[in-house]
Amino acid sequence: MVVLSVPAEVTVILLDIEGTTTPIAFVKDILFPYIKENVKEYLQTHWEEEECQEDVGLLRRQAEEDSHLEGAVPIPAVSDNGAADLQQVIQAVVDNVCWQMSLDRKTTALKQLQGHIWRAAFTAGRMKAEFFEDVVPAVRKWREAGMKVYIYSSGSVEAQKLLFGHSTEGDILELFDGHFDTKIGHKVESESYRKIADSIGCSTNNILFLTDVTLEASAAEEADVHVAVVVRPGNAGLTDDEKTYYSLITSFSELDLPASP
Ligand SMILES: CSCCC(=O)C(=O)COP(=O)(O)O
Ligand SMILES: [Mg+2]
């Protein structure tokens, strides 16, 4: 087995979800289709609730920012014209969500609504999150060795907690010291990693970030975070240059932690 030695200064392991802890297929074939199949009914049922109105407000503001993009779908405000008008607005929200999802956008607005739509499915046990088999044993081992383990995903913190709280391995939320999402900044921006280090109370070079996306690895590295790119079945291929440049792992078990002092 190829082993990657974790530098001695690393005390925190920061994990991406999709393509790192969890198969892309679970996200693309189960989580995302659930949104497309349920978003309209969800909006119709929850429209009057404050949380739903906040979600729609965020999506509307995002739609305004996106208005220059090809295919962008505006979300009008509801006027006083009655039910027919409301149905048009709901349809615009549905179309906007589907348009964003067709581009696999990672906007905070989209991710927040998605988390709220998944909530019922996870809490009722209709959906259970999947992890690669090496994930849970490795995280337990890291923690026993004194490492802190955090999650940083484009999925909202609320959605992350649903995932780790309702998985095929049971409720494993307690294995994580904390969660970050795009509210701290986007994963392809190096400033996000500096803010994460600040929030944890460590230096960026105390963190090892594991991700499948080289743009994210590059942003983290620019902030002086250690990175390894995770190669999993179903992940996007890497170029030869990327394969040469980055430390690659195919399983968390390939990480060799420094011996405790
Ligand atoms: C609770 S994560 C759901 C998956 C998701 O919505 C997503 O965008 C995953 O992005 P990641 O940053 O984990 O690759
Ligand atoms: Mg990922």
Side-chain angles (χ1 to χ4, degrees):
M1 178 176 70
V2 183
V3 164
L4 178 69
S5 293
V6 175
E9 64 195 2
V10 169
T11 54
V12 172
I13 299 187
L14 182 64
L15 299 173
D16 163 64
I17 294 180
E18 182 185 1
T20 298
T21 63
T22 298
I24 288 183
F26 175 73
V27 177
K28 295 271 187 304
D29 300 342
I30 295 177
L31 285 183
F32 287 175
Y34 185 88
I35 299 297
K36 289 188 185 147
E37 284 155 25
N38 290 280
V39 57
K40 189 163 187 175
E41 193 196 326
Y42 177 88
L43 291 167
Q44 280 167 335
T45 310
H46 299 276
W47 188 261
E48 298 300 335
E49 295 166 20
E50 201 179 323
E51 180 185 84
C52 187
Q53 279 307 303
E54 278 172 20
D55 291 349
V56 172
L58 263 189
L59 283 165
R60 186 176 286 119
R61 277 196 292 284
Q62 182 66 50
E64 283 160 11
E65 273 178 40
D66 291 342
S67 57
H68 63 287
L69 298 178
E70 196 189 326
V73 182
I75 302 176
V78 184
S79 69
D80 298 330
N81 293 352
D85 183 57
L86 173 63
Q87 289 310 315
Q88 282 168 5
V89 177
I90 288 178
Q91 190 57 50
V93 178
V94 172
D95 293 344
N96 179 284
V97 165
C98 291
W99 169 70
Q100 288 204 58
M101 289 183 67
S102 72
L103 301 173
D104 195 18
R105 297 193 79 215
K106 306 284 188 185
T107 63
T108 303
L110 174 65
K111 295 293 157 186
Q112 182 167 304
L113 177 70
Q114 285 178 336
H116 293 151
I117 299 176
W118 287 321
R119 184 164 50 203
F122 275 114
T123 54
R126 290 199 303 275
M127 203 148 70
K128 285 194 193 304
E130 294 168 20
F131 305 112
F132 291 105
E133 62 180 8
D134 51 282
V135 171
V136 175
V139 175
R140 287 193 203 283
K141 200 174 114 192
W142 299 338
R143 287 177 61 88
E144 277 163 22
M147 289 279 170
K148 291 197 176 303
V149 185
Y150 287 81
I151 301 293
Y152 181 29
S153 169
S154 304
S156 68
V157 166
E158 208 174 336
Q160 295 173 26
K161 289 183 175 171
L162 286 169
L163 220 76
F164 291 103
H166 304 84
S167 82
T168 53
E169 319 259 347
D171 178 351
I172 54 162
L173 255 183
E174 58 162 27
L175 292 182
F176 301 97
D177 293 282
H179 299 257
F180 299 97
D181 61 19
T182 53
K183 283 189 179 149
I184 203 143
H186 286 282
K187 295 174 77 187
V188 294
E189 292 166 6
S190 49
E191 189 54 21
S192 310
Y193 299 87
R194 293 189 192 98
K195 287 185 181 161
I196 286 175
D198 276 354
S199 166
I200 294 172
C202 67
S203 300
T204 50
N205 66 0
N206 297 137
I207 300 177
L208 169 66
F209 178 46
L210 305 182
T211 181
D212 58 316
V213 174
T214 52
L215 274 178
E216 296 172 4
S218 162
E221 205 177 44
E222 208 181 304
D224 213 15
V225 165
H226 296 276
V227 298
V229 172
V230 185
V231 178
R232 300 287 201 182
N235 284 6
L238 302 174
T239 64
D240 287 344
D241 283 351
E242 288 170 334
K243 283 184 198 158
T244 311
Y245 181 78
Y246 288 106
S247 299
L248 307 179
I249 57 169
T250 60
S251 161
F252 287 0
S253 63
E254 291 165 18
L255 287 186
D256 188 27
L257 299 194
S260 332

